[in-house]
Amino acid sequence: MTQLKIAIQKSGRLMEGSLRLLAECGLKIQNGKNQLKSQAIDFPAELLFLRDDDIPEYVQDGVADIGIVGDNVRLEKGKNNEMVLPLGFSKCRLSLAVSRDSDIKKPEDLNGKRIATSYPVILEKYLEEKNISAEIHEISGSVEIAPGIGLAQAIFDIVSTGSTLLSNGLVELATVAKSEAVLIKNKNLSAEKSLLLESLLFRIKSVHSASNNKYILLNAPNSAVDTISELLPGMESPTVLPLKKEGWSSIHSVVNESDFWTIIDQLKEAGARGILVVPIEKMIL
Ligand code: PRT
Ligand code: ZN
């Protein structure tokens, strides 16, 4: 039987989000993740647990068919894979940073300086684009200590909350790129595997739509139903049910999370009462 081989990080900042997404898509794992691979239940897939840096290469070589990595790793490793979909978790940015008291105040001041990083490829591209001539010093970890020990005048590293920079006396000079977990695929998937991927993508998109939308229920006088229906168009149109109370209706619809706060005042003004907003688990479009 054809199986989709999915590479995910064995342990680290991508692991939890990757496993959660797959579980929400119905891919439960048969045996623990303390092994190299594991069989999925209810979906023809096998999970491979790897170091994130190795995932682009395994996908390119066809050892895995698809994989979940940070976009920073995808860009840095530059393998011949295809980006399928951003996944919305493990968000971070790649930034240049310098000591708080440094003379370097803008990227152009980096000319002739040395920058420590674990992402030389992405940095080199940025420096070229900006026409900055700086020396790139590649190190594999603890990049943030480089300015303090005199190894470099600046760093280029991943920033999330900014607390690592702060506790090392560093400030951000510029954000070069944003990153999040992404799904990558081998460029030469067989027709059968492409079908399996389509089916997985359909599930992922349903999970994403669900988390971006909420189910909303409210009561309103019948005279307000038209106005409220325009504010809450939903997937097709809202459901309107009569209440036992004479002249009143209950309106049910779906609302985008980001629109919710902007329309809530308009709903109340139109006469909506007893507004309930509940999460949606899956949304099939
Ligand atoms: O063992 P393996 O090689 O698989 O894992 P790893 O140690 O190389 O990677 P890991 O698990 O640390 O990160 C995996 C991916 O998570 C990265 O490639 C990014 O895409 C993403 N990610 C999200 C982060 C962060 N947030 C993050 N904060 N990766 C690293 N950090 C580090 C950063 O390097 C810095 O040291 O956290 C520090 C900064 O964090 P703040 O919150 O103090 O700003
Ligand atoms: Zn790594």
Side-chain angles (χ1 to χ4, degrees):
M1 184 184 62
T2 309
Q3 294 211 87
L4 198 61
K5 286 178 282 177
I6 309 173
I8 64 168
Q9 191 189 29
K10 185 171 172 57
S11 70
R13 290 182 164 92
L14 292 160
M15 190 261 294
E16 212 186 295
S18 306
L19 285 174
R20 191 186 318 118
L21 176 67
L22 293 175
E24 283 170 344
C25 292
L27 273 81
K28 295 186 202 83
I29 303 169
Q30 206 161 40
N31 32 30
K33 56 180 171 30
N34 289 329
Q35 0 215 327
L36 182 64
K37 50 188 183 174
S38 180
Q39 191 65 43
I41 308 168
D42 294 340
F43 194 89
E46 185 175 55
L47 265 63
L48 309 179
F49 301 102
L50 303 165
R51 285 202 58 192
D52 67 343
D53 317 69
D54 296 334
I55 292 176
E57 190 160 344
Y58 277 94
V59 171
Q60 178 185 278
D61 295 348
V63 177
D65 301 310
I66 61 172
I68 298 178
V69 284
D71 204 29
N72 49 305
V73 167
R74 180 186 73 88
L75 290 168
E76 182 65 27
K77 298 289 168 183
K79 297 291 173 191
N80 198 18
N81 295 316
E82 215 169 282
M83 209 274 244
V84 187
L85 195 72
L87 298 174
F89 59 88
S90 299
K91 287 189 175 175
C92 56
R93 55 192 189 272
L94 280 160
S95 293
L96 285 161
V98 292
S99 293
R100 207 181 299 129
D101 49 13
S102 169
D103 295 339
I104 303 167
K105 301 290 180 207
K106 52 187 188 306
E108 291 70 29
D109 298 341
L110 289 165
N111 269 304
K113 302 285 198 270
R114 185 193 273 194
I115 311 168
T117 187
S118 308
Y119 294 94
V121 174
I122 302 174
L123 177 58
E124 191 174 358
K125 191 162 170 275
Y126 170 81
L127 293 175
E128 256 175 46
E129 274 166 22
K130 293 272 168 186
N131 216 0
I132 297 167
S133 147
E135 184 191 337
I136 298 174
H137 187 81
E138 185 177 350
I139 47 177
S140 59
S142 304
V143 175
E144 63 280 358
I145 64 168
I149 59 171
L151 189 66
Q153 291 89 21
I155 65 161
F156 175 63
D157 199 12
I158 292 177
V159 181
S160 173
T161 59
S163 69
T164 303
L165 293 185
L166 193 69
S167 60
N168 285 280
L170 303 170
V171 288
E172 253 176 295
L173 199 63
T175 299
V176 170
K178 290 198 170 152
S179 180
E180 64 185 275
V182 295
L183 189 70
I184 54 171
K185 71 164 188 168
N186 176 284
K187 278 196 167 164
N188 304 306
L189 285 189
S190 67
E192 276 172 310
K193 290 196 173 186
S194 298
L195 275 178
L196 287 178
L197 175 58
E198 279 309 310
S199 155
L200 179 62
L201 282 176
F202 174 76
R203 296 184 187 198
I204 294 177
K205 285 174 186 164
S206 302
V207 169
H208 281 171
S209 312
S211 64
N212 291 334
N213 288 281
K214 298 279 178 267
Y215 192 71
I216 183 165
L217 306 90
L218 55 86
N219 297 330
N222 290 343
S223 58
V225 167
D226 286 346
T227 315
I228 292 175
S229 299
E230 269 173 41
L231 290 167
L232 293 173
M235 288 168 79
E236 304 288 343
S237 100
T239 306
V240 180
L241 302 163
L243 285 191
K244 194 160 189 325
K245 184 176 169 185
E246 192 69 30
W248 278 69
S249 296
S250 169
I251 302 174
H252 300 199
S253 192
V254 168
V255 63
N256 193 284
E257 173 106 72
S258 55
D259 295 340
F260 176 72
W261 293 110
T262 54
I263 60 167
I264 186 77
D265 288 337
Q266 290 166 272
L267 290 175
K268 286 201 290 192
E269 210 170 293
R273 298 287 175 268
I275 303 170
L276 294 180
V277 179
V278 287
I280 299 171
E281 197 175 308
K282 304 277 187 307
M283 193 162 149
I284 314 299
L285 297 170

